[in-house]
Amino acid sequence: MGGVAVGGGGGGGGGGATASNSILRDIQPRDEVAVDVMGSLGGGGGRGRGSALPSCMILTVWLLLLLAGTTIFIFGVTGSAVHITGLEGWDEVFTVCGMLVMFPILLFLYRFISPMIPKLSAKMEGRVSYYTLRCILVGSFILQASLFLVYLTKYNDRWYFFFVIPDVVICVLMLISTKLTTIWAHLYVIVMALKMGLFWFNLDPSEGPNLFQEKNNVYGINGFLAVLMLILPMVHYPVIISRLEAGMTMTDAYTTNMAAVFAHILHGMDSLELYMQGQDRQSFAADVQYMLLLFALMGFVAGNLYFIALFFRDEAAEKIIRRFQSNVMENLEGSRDESLLHYFMWSLFMIDLPYASMRFIAFCVHGTMLSPFFAKNIVMIGSVTMLLFYNNYQHVRSEKETAKGSEGGNSSGGVIAVSSGLSASNSL
C-alpha cells in the first residue's frame, strides 16, 4: 500500500485523516475494482482520469469487432458463407468463430454499460423477474401445446383435438394463481407423457412413406424434438418462481441447488434420447418396443414429478412427499443435500439403472449403436452408490460419536458435580 501519510505533533489529526483516506482508497471491494478496471478499459465509469481519446478509440475497436463477429455469425447461420469464401462447407466455421468473437465482447459491453443503468431495489428487481418468468412460462406452454396439437392432428386422427381440453385447464390454472402450481405442473407432466406415448408410433419411418422423416418438412423430426425440449423450462421456471416469491433474488433463485438443475437437465435429455429411439423400433421385437416406450415415459414422469415435489416448496408438494415417504420432509427441512440425495435415489432406480440395462442389451443383442448417455448412466450409478455409502458411513460415525459423548458425560458427571461444589464453596 502506498502513500500513507502520518502526521506528527500538532498536525496529528490531519495526518490521521489523510492516512485513513489513503487506506480506504487502497482497500476497495472486489466489485468496485472490477468496475474500475472495466471502466478504465472502456472509457468512463471508472476512477482513472486517463485521456478520453484512447478510451473512445478502445470502445470503437470493440464495437467494430462486435460488428465483424455478428456479420460472420449471420453469414454462417444463414448458410451464406459461400458468398465470402467461394467454397462450400464454411457455414459451421463462420458460426463458431462469430460466436467466439461476439460473446466476450457482449460481456465487456454489458460491464461498460451497466454503471449507466439505473439500479432497481431488491424488491422491485424480484417483482420484475417474477412477472417476466411467468410471462415466459405461459408463452412457452401455449407455444408447445399448439405445436404438439399440430403434430398430433397432422399425422394422426382428428380426435386428438380433444387434448385442447386439458391444455386449456392447465393454462387457466397457470394464470389464476401460483398457489395452484403443483396441481397444474403434475397435470402437465402426465398429459405430456400421454401425448408422447400416442405420438411415439409415428417416429419409425420403416412402415411405408413417412412425411414426418422428410428433411424439407416444416413439421418434421427436428421441430418435434425442439417442441419436446420446451419441457425443461416448463419444469424449472415454476421452481424459480416459487423461490422469488419467498424473497430470493433472481441470482439466488437460479443458482440454488444447481447440482439438481444440471442433473434434471441430463435426466430429461436422457429420457428424450431413449424416447427418440422409436425411430428404430422395428429393429426390436414387439414386446421390447413397448418396454422401450415404458422406460422412456417412466423416466420422464419420475424425473419431472419428483423434481417439482422436492424443490418446489409449498403445502401441496409436502403432502405429496409425506404420502409416499413420511420421514423425508424431516430430513429436507434440515439440509438441501438430503433433498438432492433423494432426487438422485429416485433417478437411480427410475432412469439410470433401467436405461443402462436397456442400452447394454440393445448393443450386445440387437447391434444398436451405443448411446453417449450410456456413459452418463454408468457414472450416475457409481456416483450415487458412493454417495450412499458415504452417507451411511457419516450416519454410523455420528451415532458412535453421540454414544461416546453420552458415556463420557455419565462418567464425568460426578467430577463435574464435585468441581461445581468446590467452586461454590470458594465463592462463599
Side-chain angles (χ1 to χ4, degrees), residues 143-377:
L143 177 63
Q144 185 188 51
S146 303
L147 291 177
F148 213 132
L149 192 63
V150 171
Y151 275 99
L152 287 171
T153 55
K154 183 178 179 65
Y155 299 104
N156 296 288
D157 297 330
R158 295 289 181 181
W159 68 269
Y160 284 94
F161 273 114
F162 284 106
F163 276 108
V164 173
I165 298 175
D167 290 340
V168 171
V169 172
I170 294 171
C171 189
V172 170
L173 293 175
M174 192 184 302
L175 293 173
I176 290 177
S177 175
T178 54
K179 295 181 180 179
L180 303 174
T181 300
T182 304
I183 299 175
W184 73 253
H186 287 75
L187 180 61
Y188 165 78
V189 173
I190 295 173
V191 172
M192 278 298 300
L194 182 60
K195 291 179 181 178
M196 292 168 61
L198 293 174
F199 192 81
W200 188 71
F201 300 96
N202 295 286
L203 298 180
D204 191 2
S206 61
E207 298 178 352
N210 192 344
L211 296 175
F212 181 70
Q213 295 291 335
E214 293 184 1
K215 295 182 179 180
N216 296 328
N217 186 11
V218 177
Y219 299 101
I221 186 69
N222 293 329
F224 181 69
L225 187 58
V227 171
L228 294 181
M229 291 302 293
L230 288 174
I231 296 171
L232 296 177
M234 290 298 302
V235 177
H236 284 168
Y237 284 177
V239 176
I240 297 177
I241 290 173
S242 68
R243 293 169 180 170
L244 290 174
E245 285 186 315
M248 288 187 178
T249 62
M250 183 62 187
T251 303
D252 293 336
Y254 186 78
T255 56
T256 302
N257 290 117
M258 284 299 291
V261 173
F262 290 143
H264 177 256
I265 293 175
L266 286 176
H267 293 327
M269 295 176 65
D270 194 2
S271 61
L272 291 181
E273 197 272 344
L274 187 67
Y275 174 81
M276 297 304 291
Q277 286 289 326
Q279 298 178 85
D280 302 322
R281 66 184 180 89
Q282 292 299 323
S283 60
F284 301 97
D287 54 346
V288 178
Q289 294 180 24
Y290 287 102
M291 186 170 64
L292 184 71
L293 177 61
L294 175 63
F295 280 178
L297 296 182
M298 179 181 68
F300 169 78
V301 172
N304 289 304
L305 288 186
Y306 211 66
F307 181 84
I308 295 172
L310 280 176
F311 300 103
F312 184 86
R313 299 297 179 82
D314 64 352
E315 295 180 358
E318 293 179 4
K319 289 180 181 178
I320 292 174
I321 295 178
R322 288 193 176 97
R323 187 176 303 171
F324 292 99
Q325 287 180 296
S326 58
N327 61 335
V328 172
M329 287 308 303
E330 299 176 358
N331 296 327
L332 297 185
E333 292 172 357
S335 173
R336 291 179 299 188
D337 295 335
E338 291 292 336
S339 61
L340 187 61
L341 176 61
H342 282 85
Y343 181 67
F344 283 159
M345 280 289 298
W346 275 76
S347 62
L348 174 66
F349 291 103
M350 294 292 181
I351 298 177
D352 292 305
L353 277 175
Y355 283 24
S357 304
M358 172 70 75
R359 286 172 174 139
F360 184 73
I361 295 174
F363 173 73
C364 295
V365 178
H366 301 281
T368 306
M369 182 180 295
L370 196 61
S371 170
F373 282 98
F374 179 74
K376 171 256 179 187
N377 299 139

Side-chain angles (χ1 to χ4, degrees), residues 81-100:
V82 65
H83 299 298
I84 298 178
T85 61
L87 300 173
E88 298 287 345
W90 282 83
D91 297 329
E92 293 80 4
V93 178
F94 272 49
T95 303
V96 174
C97 293
M99 181 60 69
L100 291 176

Side-chain angles (χ1 to χ4, degrees), residues 28 30-59 62 107-116:
Q28 299 179 14
R30 293 183 179 179
D31 294 341
E32 294 184 5
V33 173
V35 172
D36 288 349
V37 172
M38 299 302 292
S40 62
L41 288 176
R47 292 177 182 158
R49 294 188 176 89
S51 175
L53 182 60
S55 53
C56 291
M57 293 177 61
I58 292 174
L59 181 60
W62 282 113
L107 288 180
F108 169 79
L109 291 177
Y110 170 76
R111 291 304 303 266
F112 179 79
I113 299 174
S114 58
M116 309 175 189

Side-chain angles (χ1 to χ4, degrees), residues 116-142:
M116 309 175 189
I117 301 175
K119 301 297 182 181
L120 298 177
S121 62
K123 184 177 180 180
M124 180 60 67
E125 181 182 356
R127 301 306 295 174
V128 171
S129 302
Y130 170 80
Y131 287 111
T132 302
L133 282 183
R134 287 202 66 183
C135 292
I136 295 175
L137 184 66
V138 175
S140 300
F141 173 75
I142 294 175

